[in-house]
Structures are given as C-alpha cells and as structure tokens.
Amino acid sequence: MYKINDVTYEQIFEYIDEFNKKENKIIDELRVFAEQNNIPIIKKDVENFLKTYLNITKPKKILELGCAIGYSSIFMSSVLNDDVHIDTLEINENMYNIASENIKKFSLTNINVILGNASDIIPSLDQKYDFVFIDASKSHYDEFFSLILNKLKKNAVVICDNTLFKGYLCMDRSGIPKRQKTIYDKMTRFLENIKKNKDISYNMLPLGDGLLVIYFK
Ligand SMILES: C[S@@+](CC[C@H](N)C(=O)[O-])C[C@H]1O[C@@H](n2cnc3c(N)ncnc32)[C@H](O)[C@@H]1O
C-alpha cells in the first residue's frame, strides 16, 4: 500500500476529494443516478484533473468517444460555462436515449450526442477538435486513435481513460483471467504503439483506472 507517513492512499484521496468539492446540483444528481444504476462514469480524480486541464486550455471543440448517460460531457460543458461544442458518440441506444434526455433536461444545445459505433462515425465527422476524450470500448483504443488523427487541430490533446484496465496492465499476462485476456492484449498493443510513435509525447497518470494524456510534438 502506497503511504505517506501513516496516511493511506484512500485517506489522501478522500481528503483531496472533500477539498475540491464544489456543489453542482446537475452533476451531483447524475453521478448518483450512474452509481445507483451501475453505469461506469469518470472517477472523481479524473474529473478533478479534467476540470484543471479544461480550465487551463479552454478547448472550443471536444470529441468524446463513449457518452453513456452524458455525465462527462455535461460535466466538461459546465466547466467551460457551455462555451464549447461537444460531439459525443455512444453505441448503446438505451444510453443514447438517457444522455439525450439529460442534455435536454438541462437545456444544453452545445452537446451533440451521436448514436452508433465510434469506428463507423469518426470517419464521417467533418469537424476538427482541440481535445478528444476516449472512454469507450477498451479493446478498440488503437483503432480509435488511428481514426481520430486526421480530426485533430494543431496542438490537440487526446486523453484516454482506463488504460490500466483494472490494474491488469501492471500484471504479467499469465495472471490475467481468461475472459480479460483479449482486452489486456489489445490495450498492451495500443500502449506499445503509443511508445513507438515518434510524433507524440505522452504521460500515463495514476488517476482513475489509468489516464493516458497524449499530445503532439
Ligand atoms: C465508461 S462509459 C462512458 C462514460 C462517460 N464518458 C462518462 O464518464 O460519463 C463507456 C461507454 O462507451 C460506450 N461504447 C463502447 N464501445 C463503443 C463504441 N465502439 N462506439 C461508441 N460508444 C461505445 C458504451 O456503451 C458505454 O456507454
């Protein structure tokens, strides 16, 4: 267990979370809904990082892969006082419907939820983005990353969530449960390709389930 003095990482995490807490009724309600319905959304520490990142960089066009109920896109919009356009892609029709309802409920006209497989939709997008947040099927990150390359503005940043895949990426392949091996292999290949790519710089941060930040040289 990672410790500073006699304080555990959990205590540090709770303290930071409490310190950073700002009441935001919309966001708080959505997080409770997601938790009650077992819908995976960005972890609090990822949220805090994104808030800092967005406040510093103030992107005008964001592409998100993996919308779920719209939590992260509504959150990102609120950080930027809705002065941003967000295209967010979702493959699951039920999630798409809930996200669309949430976005309508909060009268947000700057968030465009698109139903379909990101692999099919990305090539048809006619925008260029300052920031891409990848938070969809973990076995397709390599493909998603290749597809978004010609959709990026100069100096764009790409952030990928869950790149440690429940911590499995830190383990030897022999210890990975059989049903998780495919994602493990595909995420490993994606990270190896990132390391080999001479056009980018990157940093994996110990936030959420591993947050990979990629920027272009
Ligand atoms: C972790 S959730 C996204 C959470 C959301 N970003 C948030 O934090 O509020 C991942 C979502 O990606 C969607 N998804 C998975 N594969 C996809 C694909 N190929 N194209 C579009 N959406 C996909 C899933 O249906 C799921 O709703």
Side-chain angles (χ1 to χ4, degrees), residues 40-42 64 66-68 71-72 90-92 116-118 135-137 144:
I41 59 168
I42 48 168
E64 176 180 68
C67 173
Y71 180 87
S72 48
E90 177 52 54
I91 199 168
N92 178 302
N117 187 335
D135 190 17
S137 159
F144 294 153

Side-chain angles (χ1 to χ4, degrees), residues 68-167:
I69 61 166
Y71 180 87
S72 48
S73 51
I74 293 171
F75 170 74
M76 292 192 282
S77 179
S78 79
V79 169
L80 296 163
N81 297 318
D82 306 331
D83 185 19
V84 60
H85 175 87
I86 302 177
D87 286 328
T88 176
L89 316 186
E90 177 52 54
I91 199 168
N92 178 302
E93 196 166 353
N94 184 35
M95 288 296 139
Y96 166 84
N97 288 332
I98 298 173
S100 303
E101 275 305 307
N102 283 332
I103 287 159
K104 204 160 100 194
K105 189 159 111 197
F106 301 118
S107 311
L108 295 166
T109 53
N110 59 324
I111 303 177
N112 180 28
V113 195
I114 304 172
L115 175 64
N117 187 335
S119 306
D120 301 330
I121 296 169
I122 297 166
S124 69
L125 296 170
D126 59 4
Q127 309 265 342
K128 295 242 176 189
Y129 301 90
D130 309 289
F131 170 46
V132 180
F133 183 51
I134 303 183
D135 190 17
S137 159
K138 287 180 275 296
S139 49
H140 291 90
Y141 277 22
D142 205 34
E143 182 190 359
F144 294 153
F145 187 69
S146 306
L147 287 172
I148 59 165
L149 286 177
N150 65 355
K151 307 290 172 189
L152 301 175
K153 288 194 205 168
K154 195 170 183 289
N155 299 324
V157 170
V158 178
I159 297 185
C160 309
D161 201 5
N162 307 310
T163 48
L164 288 181
F165 180 35
K166 303 178 184 173

Side-chain angles (χ1 to χ4, degrees), residues 157-201:
V157 170
V158 178
I159 297 185
C160 309
D161 201 5
N162 307 310
T163 48
L164 288 181
F165 180 35
K166 303 178 184 173
Y168 287 138
L169 267 283
C170 313
M171 292 167 56
D172 190 80
R173 191 177 190 279
S174 58
I176 307 300
K178 205 172 163 195
R179 65 186 184 287
Q180 315 285 19
K181 275 193 165 50
T182 304
I183 299 180
Y184 175 88
D185 289 343
K186 291 192 168 178
M187 187 60 87
T188 301
R189 195 166 66 215
F190 168 61
L191 296 179
E192 277 167 4
N193 287 340
I194 289 295
K195 276 165 117 178
K196 279 191 255 165
N197 190 327
K198 299 268 183 288
D199 301 328
I200 60 175
S201 293

Side-chain angles (χ1 to χ4, degrees), residues 46-62:
V46 170
E47 181 175 312
N48 286 328
F49 173 80
L50 284 180
K51 184 176 177 182
T52 308
Y53 167 75
L54 295 171
N55 270 315
I56 294 170
T57 58
K58 303 212 181 308
K60 291 287 180 206
K61 293 232 159 111
I62 297 178

